[in-house]
């Protein structure tokens, strides 16, 4: 059986250890946090950010003002942003704030070298 193909900042990765890690990773809505890195789906691709490349991870809150027939409403979306090489490489959107906070906490536990949250 062929291994899955993952897309990382360094290019495509086809490795049995990464495939096994992705299958056993902890799920937080659309994000999988494994022992080797973070996995998420981007279109038809599965993106993989290894902890060795991950510099920073944080949550960005995006508010959307909606005009409805009966008035106005504010919707909040939570984005888990992954920074690699000084650039925002990954951006996973979710409506579940707790899932994104739990994913960020899991990344902090598994990768102590990664800066979490706001950094001056």
């Amino acid at each position: 059986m062929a291994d899955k193909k993952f897309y990382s900042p360094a290019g495509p990765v086809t490795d049995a250890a990464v495939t096994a890690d992705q299958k056993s990773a902890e799920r937080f809505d659309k994000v999988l946090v494994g022992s080797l890195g973070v996995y998420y789906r981007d279109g038809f691709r599965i993106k993989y950010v290894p902890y060795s490349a991950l510099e920073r991870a944080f949550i960005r809150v995006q508010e959307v003002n909606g005009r409805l027939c009966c008035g106005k409403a504010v919707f909040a979306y939570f984005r888990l942003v992954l920074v690699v090489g000084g650039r925002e490489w990954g951006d996973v959107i979710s409506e579940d704030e707790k899932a994104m906070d739990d994913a960020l906490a899991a990344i902090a536990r598994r990768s102590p070298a990664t800066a979490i949250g706001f950094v001056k």
Side-chain angles (χ1 to χ4, degrees):
M1 183 171 99
D3 291 326
K4 285 186 181 180
K5 189 179 208 181
F6 299 96
Y7 294 88
S8 75
V13 175
T14 306
D15 186 8
V18 175
T19 302
D21 184 52
Q22 189 250 352
K23 285 182 182 179
S24 66
E26 196 173 358
R27 177 176 289 282
F28 302 98
D29 196 15
K30 300 174 186 177
V31 179
L32 297 168
V33 179
S35 59
L36 299 178
V38 180
Y39 307 87
Y40 63 95
R41 190 168 280 287
D42 185 20
F44 292 115
R45 294 179 169 192
I46 299 174
K47 296 271 184 119
Y48 161 60
V49 182
Y51 294 131
S52 60
L54 186 60
E55 296 172 6
R56 181 174 163 223
F58 63 93
I59 302 290
R60 177 178 289 144
V61 180
Q62 179 181 358
E63 290 185 351
V64 178
N65 295 316
R67 292 186 184 175
L68 308 172
C69 61
C70 55
K72 295 180 180 179
V74 177
F75 303 99
Y77 295 99
F78 305 92
R79 303 173 92 95
L80 176 65
V81 180
L82 306 171
V83 177
V84 175
R87 299 181 61 177
E88 295 180 5
W89 196 79
D91 186 0
V92 185
I93 189 169
S94 176
E95 293 179 4
D96 189 354
E97 180 181 13
K98 182 173 177 358
M100 293 296 103
D101 288 341
D102 291 346
L104 193 63
I107 292 169
R109 276 193 315 273
R110 296 199 169 133
S111 178
T114 301
I116 302 294
F118 178 74
V119 177
K120 288 186 179 182

